[in-house]
Structures are given as C-alpha cells and as structure tokens.
Amino acid sequence: MGGAWRGRGLPLSGDSAAGGGGRGQGASDAPSGWQDSRGIRGSRAATMGGLKDELLKAIWHAFTALDLDHSGKVSKSQLKVLSHNLCTVLKVPHDPVALEEHFRDDDEGPVSNQGYMPYLNKFILEKVQDNFDKIEFNRMCWTLCVKKNLAKSLLLITEDDAFKVWVIFNFLSEDKYPLIIVPEEIEYLLKKLTEAMGGGWQQEQFENYKINFDDSKDGLSVWELIELIGNGQFSKGMDRQTVSMAINEVFNELILDVLKQGYMMKKGHRRKNWTERWFVLKPNIISYYVSEDLKDKKGDILLDENCCVESLPDKDGKKCLFLIKCFDKTFEISASDKKKKQEWIQAIHSTIHLLKLGSPPPHKEARQRRKELRKKVLAEQEELERQMKELQVANENKQQELETVRKKLEEAASRAAEEEKKRLQTQVELQARFSTELEREKLIRQQMEEQVAQKSSELEQYLQRVRELEDMYLKLQEALEDERQARQDEETVRKLQARLLEEESSKRAELEKWHLEQQQAIRTTEAEKQELENQRAVKEQALQEAVEQLQQLELERKQALEQYEGVKKKLEMAANKTKSWKDRVAQHEGLIRLIEPGSKNPHLITNWGPAAFTQAELEEREKSWKGKKATE
C-alpha cells in the first residue's frame, strides 16, 4: 500500500508496530500511512488543520480495527456504516448519493485506505466544524477498536479510564502512522499522573524502564501505553480511586482544556445573594455548576479579549473578592482565601491575554514546543553525524594520500637499489660521475624523508583534532544531561514548596475559622446573658407594681366592707357589669390575635416559658384597667 496514512512523519517499514498493535493486532494490522493533511487543508489551514489531524488519529484506530484480516483493506459495507456514523457524531450533513456512489456494490472488493481517504477528505473532513461533541466522537471510534485490543482482566483501571488514556494518547502521539508515543511524552504523561495522585516522581524508575525498552521501536502503541498505566507499575501504593481521579484530572486538562476549577461564592444578579458554585475555567469561557459532578449547570461567563478581572476590597462580610467585567455583565466572586483568589485572578488574566494574542491553551503550546525541540535535537544529531561522516571521509582521504606517498617511497627505494646495482657495475668507469650522482641522490632522499615526516606530523595533528571533537561531543552530552536533571530537580522543589504553602494556608484558614466561631459563640452567650438580666429587672419592677396595687386593693377592700351594707346592691351591679365587660374584652382580644400579625417586639419570659403578650401589651392593659376603674 502507498503512503496515504503517512502524514508528515517519516516513512515506515513494513514491520513497524501498528497503532492497533499490542495484544490484539500485529504489525500488519496498520496501513503503511495515512494521506498527508495537505490534501484537506486548503485556505482554512490556519484554523482547522490541527482539528483534522486529531480527528484523523481516532478515525485511523477505527479503520485499523475494521481491518480484520490485516490486509490493509476494509469491506465497503463496513466503511459505509463507519462514514454514516462519522457524519452523525461530527454533525456533518449526510450525502447519501455520494455515499452510495463511492461504496456501490461491484467486483472490486474491499477498499484500501487510499481508496477511502478521498471520500473521507471531501465529504467529511472538509465539511467538519468545531461544533460537535468531541467526547462522543472519540467514544464512537473507541468502541470500534476496544473489544479487539483491550484485555480488561490484566488491567487495574476501569474501561472508562482506559478510554481517557486512549484519547490522551491521540493528543500526545507523533504525527506519523502507525501512531506511537515517544519516551519523552510517556515521561511527561506519567509525571503528570504521579503529581495528580500526590506522589513523588521517581526518575530512576523511569530510566530503568527506558533501559529495558525495546531499542527496535521508537515508542509505544496506545494499547501498550494503557497496559503500562493499567498494570500499576508507576502507581504502586495508590488505590484504584486515586489512579482514576488522577487520570480524570489529566484528561480534563489536556483534552477538555480545563485550565482551573474549584468552589467559590458568586453574587446573584437579581436577588443579590451569595451562592457557592463549582467554577470551571476553559480557554474562552468560565462555566459554573451546582457541584463538581457537572450535572446541574447554572450559567457561563463568556471571555474575550475585551474582558478584564479586578481585585475588590472586602465588603458586606465577604472576603477575598474579585470582579470579572465582560461586555454586558459583571460578576462578583468570593474565593475561599487570598491564595485561591490570587490564583484565580492570575489564571483568568492569563486566559484573556492568550485570547488577545490568539495563542492556544498552555498545554497545547507546550506540546508543540516539545515536538519542535525533538525536531531540533534530531536535526542537530543528523548534522553532527554528517560532520562525523565528513571527518571520516577526510581521514580516509588522508590515509590514501599517505599510502600513495608510501608507494612512491617504495618505488623510489626500488629505483635507488637499481641505481646502486648499476653504480657497482660501472664504479670503475664512472667513479667521478657517480660521486656527483651520489650527492644528488642523497639530497633527493633527504627531501623525501622530510616530506614523509611532514605528512606524518599533519596526520597526527588531524587525528588529535578528531579526538578533541569526540571529547567535545561527549562533554556536550554530559552538559545537556546535567541541565535536564537540574531542571527536573528545580521543578520538584517548586512543586513541594507550592504544596507546603497550600497546606499552611489551609491550616491558617481553618484556625481563623475556629477563632471566629469561638468569638461568635462568646458574643451570643453575652447577648443571652444581657437579655436575661433585662427580663429579670422587668419582672422585679412588675412585681413591685403588683405589690403596690395589692396594697391599694386591700385598703379599698377595707373601705368597701365598712360601706358594705350601704352599697351592696351597687356592688352587685358593678360586679355583673364588670363580668360582662371582661367577657367582651376576652372575646375581642381573641379575635384580634387571629387576624393581626404578631408583635415584632421580644416576648416576656415567665416561669412557664414565653408569655402570650409583650411588655408593651402588658403596659397597655394596665392603663386600660386603671382607666376603667377610675370611671366606675
């Protein structure tokens, strides 16, 4: 098969591990490559190219899973169903005429990736917009390949966690097919999972794992990655729930673009009341929910380059306030403490700044930088290898030159031996002439020896330079390794300091809360004590007045007894009249209690509990009673 799935990566050999490899598929499962994205980008390359690359990875898994006989081809009926499902989940308008035309029944048999890519590009990827549910799309592709490749019995994680690792793999994998994830990205993912679990990253353990890594492979397939995470090798001592929560946290950050989330208090726009909400910050929106299960969404705060965030002073009993200003609304929010307030302000400010610059989210930008760094290092290694080859060629050329000189010396020596033989034969006859020739021959030999010595010196200097270059290359590798280790140590210390500061802040907030509760309880007790003291004074005053009234009544009773015989009839009439009046008053008071609202003044406290009337009502009754008595 051709390079239809190859993308921008390097050519792949026939025995490369397929993305659907691992336990369920072999090397022949994967097509040799998917079509380069230049065929589907066109004028919208700047906005939709990255999205289509990510979609192509998930579709490649589905296509590979449908290739049951590992021939690189899939039946037309299966591709027809796959295309229909892709249009549904990607919200692309269905084109049944083109679907039937492209996959009509004929004698050509199954379709290869090269035959499927034109239809996929023209009728699906070219029409896709960023308005579909990415999780639903990935879930559909995952369903097609999971049963064929995933051995659940060997994993310590759930299938949902394995699905999230699968999506993360597609995000971090290289842009070449079969899909693999390189050791640098594996280390990045495992480090983030370890930090999310609250554990410490063990670089030595990962280095040992890389030593045992198969040198014939450039990375791991998705199923090998799921097995690596699911077998618990890098999460020893952690329970399944902790590992699941860590996978979910990394999934939210890398896939759902969740930049920050947490509980805060929000002031309502209508009732002006404060309610606790779970806030989720994404690159262009802040959503808030009733709780962190994200089931009951209460609203969104749309962010753009014109939004701003400001700190507010404490007011109305609320602390750690800040304000988010948007085009048509402002939102007042209260964080749990000053540290969380500053973190949220900084996160929102950074998000707005990225919107102004038109930059991608931080984790996507970091992934791109890592890829560019790997390309740069690869180019430097290739350049260094090229230079070494040039030095080797130059060395071989020098050796050939030295060999030529040596042959010339041997030929000269042979010629000198012949000349010596001739000289011995004609010594007598050519004695005078031979002396001159002998001197000339010595001079030539001396010059040749000097040339040989000079060439030997040049060769030694050249070899010395080669050794110096080799030493410089080794020192450069050691320096790069030391720098990378130093950066890792610095990052570890920074994470530890941040965690200690957060724990200290949490403890301080808890102590402050206990102190405030204790002060509130003391104030409540003092208020109750003062209220009881006031009620006791009122009761004593009422008792004094009752005693005085009793004495007055006793005096009046004595006077009445002295006049008893004279005013008996008048007393009986007054008693009957008083009884009738009391009945009417009691009835009238009962009606008033049914229709009138209760008094807002505090009620009196008696030995039998709260009184049925207040102090003001008691005084009013006393005045009425004294007035009636005066009229009688």
Side-chain angles (χ1 to χ4, degrees), residues 114-383:
Q114 295 143 316
Y116 182 54
M117 283 302 296
Y119 176 85
L120 180 65
N121 293 336
K122 181 176 181 181
F123 296 100
I124 298 180
L125 297 182
E126 277 290 344
K127 298 180 180 180
V128 70
Q129 301 293 329
D130 195 9
N131 61 347
F132 60 94
D133 189 340
K134 296 181 181 179
I135 302 301
E136 182 182 3
F137 163 75
N138 283 289
R139 184 74 70 176
M140 188 272 291
C141 296
W142 161 264
T143 303
L144 292 176
C145 59
V146 60
K147 293 182 180 180
K148 182 179 179 182
N149 302 286
L150 187 64
K152 302 177 183 178
S153 60
L154 302 178
L155 301 179
L156 301 177
I157 59 176
T158 63
E159 183 176 337
D160 185 63
D161 293 335
F163 163 71
K164 293 177 180 178
V165 175
W166 182 81
V167 178
I168 295 172
F169 168 88
N170 291 337
F171 176 74
L172 297 177
S173 61
E174 298 298 290
D175 296 334
K176 58 182 181 179
Y177 295 86
L179 292 175
I180 60 169
I181 181 171
V182 297
E184 291 82 0
E185 296 296 333
I186 298 174
E187 180 180 0
Y188 169 78
L189 175 58
L190 293 177
K191 186 180 293 185
K192 290 192 73 68
L193 290 173
T194 304
E195 292 173 354
M197 289 186 290
W201 172 246
Q202 299 179 356
Q203 184 66 32
E204 182 179 356
Q205 182 181 1
F206 184 75
E207 293 297 334
N208 293 333
Y209 171 77
K210 285 203 300 184
I211 293 175
N212 299 327
F213 191 73
D214 190 355
D215 293 335
S216 63
K217 298 195 302 182
D218 296 329
L220 297 180
S221 68
V222 61
W223 311 111
E224 292 170 337
L225 178 65
I226 293 175
E227 182 179 359
L228 173 64
I229 297 176
N231 61 17
Q233 180 178 353
F234 289 92
S235 59
K236 294 180 179 179
M238 300 293 178
D239 55 17
R240 292 188 175 185
Q241 184 178 4
T242 303
V243 177
S244 178
M245 291 176 63
I247 294 175
N248 186 65
E249 180 178 339
V250 176
F251 178 82
N252 288 339
E253 178 184 352
L254 300 183
I255 306 304
L256 302 183
D257 294 335
V258 175
L259 304 179
K260 189 171 180 59
Q261 57 185 348
Y263 280 108
M264 291 190 295
M265 302 293 291
K266 174 187 171 295
K267 185 177 181 179
H269 286 88
R270 296 182 179 178
R271 299 183 180 179
K272 306 300 181 183
N273 59 334
W274 290 88
T275 310
E276 186 178 49
R277 295 290 183 239
W278 176 262
F279 286 82
V280 177
L281 172 62
K282 292 187 178 182
N284 60 350
I285 192 173
I286 303 176
S287 302
Y288 49 94
Y289 305 81
V290 172
S291 61
E292 55 186 303
D293 58 9
L294 307 182
K295 292 182 179 179
D296 190 0
K297 186 177 182 179
K298 305 304 291 186
D300 293 317
I301 303 175
L302 298 178
L303 300 178
D304 56 29
E305 61 272 12
N306 298 319
C307 295
C308 64
V309 57
E310 298 177 358
S311 177
L312 294 178
D314 299 343
K315 63 178 181 179
D316 300 334
K318 293 296 179 181
K319 298 182 178 181
C320 304
L321 297 174
F322 63 93
L323 183 70
I324 302 176
K325 290 184 178 181
C326 296
F327 175 73
D328 55 348
K329 285 185 180 181
T330 58
F331 300 84
E332 290 188 34
I333 300 175
S334 172
S336 58
D337 53 58
K338 292 182 180 180
K339 181 175 181 293
K340 293 293 177 60
K341 170 186 173 181
Q342 189 61 33
E343 288 177 354
W344 273 99
I345 291 177
Q346 183 62 34
I348 297 173
H349 179 73
S350 300
T351 302
I352 296 173
H353 182 67
L354 290 176
L355 290 174
K356 291 180 180 179
L357 299 177
S359 300
H363 59 275
K364 292 185 178 179
E365 188 175 2
R367 178 192 64 168
Q368 187 63 29
R369 286 200 302 267
R370 292 195 303 271
K371 287 186 177 181
E372 292 175 355
L373 180 60
R374 284 198 295 273
K375 291 181 180 178
K376 182 179 179 181
V377 172
L378 181 61
E380 291 177 351
Q381 290 179 351
E382 292 176 351
E383 178 64 19

Side-chain angles (χ1 to χ4, degrees), residues 391-599:
L391 291 175
Q392 185 177 1
V393 171
N395 187 20
E396 292 177 354
N397 293 335
K398 289 292 183 181
Q399 289 180 354
Q400 290 178 359
E401 292 178 1
L402 292 175
E403 183 67 20
T404 302
V405 172
R406 186 185 64 79
K407 289 181 178 180
K408 289 181 179 180
L409 289 176
E410 290 179 354
E411 292 175 357
S414 177
R415 288 195 300 270
E418 292 177 358
E419 291 293 336
E420 182 69 15
K421 184 177 180 181
K422 291 179 181 179
R423 187 184 63 80
L424 293 174
Q425 292 176 356
T426 59
Q427 183 177 7
V428 177
E429 298 175 357
L430 304 174
Q431 184 67 38
R433 183 180 176 183
F434 180 75
S435 299
T436 305
E437 292 292 334
L438 181 61
E439 292 295 332
R440 186 174 64 84
E441 186 69 24
K442 288 181 179 180
L443 180 61
I444 293 174
R445 182 176 297 178
Q446 182 178 0
Q447 291 177 352
M448 294 179 69
E449 289 176 353
E450 290 177 354
Q451 291 179 358
V452 171
Q454 183 179 358
K455 295 292 184 180
S456 300
S457 177
E458 291 178 356
L459 177 61
E460 184 65 28
Q461 292 177 0
Y462 172 78
L463 294 176
Q464 181 65 26
R465 287 198 297 271
V466 170
R467 287 193 291 272
E468 290 176 354
L469 286 175
E470 291 177 350
D471 293 339
M472 290 173 63
Y473 175 72
L474 293 176
K475 291 180 180 179
L476 177 60
Q477 287 184 333
E478 293 175 357
L480 290 175
E481 181 65 23
D482 293 340
E483 180 181 0
R484 185 180 66 82
Q485 185 65 36
R487 288 182 178 178
Q488 291 177 352
D489 295 341
E490 180 184 2
E491 182 69 14
T492 302
V493 172
R494 187 183 66 79
K495 293 290 184 180
L496 178 60
Q497 290 178 347
R499 181 173 62 81
L500 293 176
L501 288 174
E502 185 175 358
E503 291 178 356
E504 180 182 358
S505 176
S506 176
K507 292 296 183 180
R508 287 182 180 274
E510 185 176 1
L511 291 175
E512 183 179 353
K513 179 180 178 182
W514 289 351
H515 179 66
L516 292 176
E517 290 178 355
Q518 184 179 14
Q519 288 182 344
Q520 183 66 25
I522 291 174
R523 287 195 295 268
T524 303
T525 304
E526 290 179 352
E528 292 176 354
K529 181 178 179 182
Q530 184 65 30
E531 181 66 22
L532 292 174
E533 189 69 20
N534 294 338
Q535 292 178 3
R536 184 184 64 79
V538 171
K539 289 180 180 179
E540 288 180 355
Q541 184 179 359
L543 179 61
Q544 185 66 28
E545 291 177 355
V547 170
E548 292 176 357
Q549 292 176 5
L550 181 60
Q551 292 175 355
Q552 183 66 26
L553 290 174
E554 183 68 24
L555 180 60
E556 291 175 356
R557 184 183 64 81
K558 289 180 181 180
Q559 293 175 358
L561 288 176
E562 292 175 355
Q563 300 174 1
Y564 176 73
E565 294 297 332
V567 294
K568 183 177 181 181
K569 185 179 292 186
K570 183 179 179 180
L571 181 61
E572 290 176 353
M573 292 175 64
N576 292 332
K577 186 178 181 179
T578 302
K579 181 178 180 182
S580 177
W581 179 257
K582 287 183 178 179
D583 293 336
R584 288 198 298 273
V585 170
Q587 183 179 5
H588 180 66
E589 289 178 348
L591 293 175
I592 290 175
R593 291 193 190 96
L594 292 175
I595 63 177
E596 290 186 354
S599 175

Side-chain angles (χ1 to χ4, degrees), residues 72-136:
K73 295 184 178 181
V74 178
S75 66
K76 292 183 178 180
S77 60
Q78 289 178 317
L79 290 180
K80 189 175 180 181
V81 175
L82 174 62
S83 302
H84 187 274
N85 291 337
L86 288 175
C87 290
T88 301
V89 298
L90 294 176
K91 296 184 179 180
V92 173
H94 292 274
D95 191 344
V97 176
L99 186 67
E100 295 295 337
E101 176 66 22
H102 195 82
F103 299 107
R104 66 178 183 272
D105 294 332
D106 51 28
D107 297 333
E108 295 181 2
V111 179
S112 67
N113 59 356
Q114 295 143 316
Y116 182 54
M117 283 302 296
Y119 176 85
L120 180 65
N121 293 336
K122 181 176 181 181
F123 296 100
I124 298 180
L125 297 182
E126 277 290 344
K127 298 180 180 180
V128 70
Q129 301 293 329
D130 195 9
N131 61 347
F132 60 94
D133 189 340
K134 296 181 181 179
I135 302 301
E136 182 182 3

Side-chain angles (χ1 to χ4, degrees), residues 604-617:
L604 295 175
I605 304 300
T606 67
N607 294 334
W608 295 276
F613 48 83
T614 64
Q615 180 65 30
E617 292 175 344

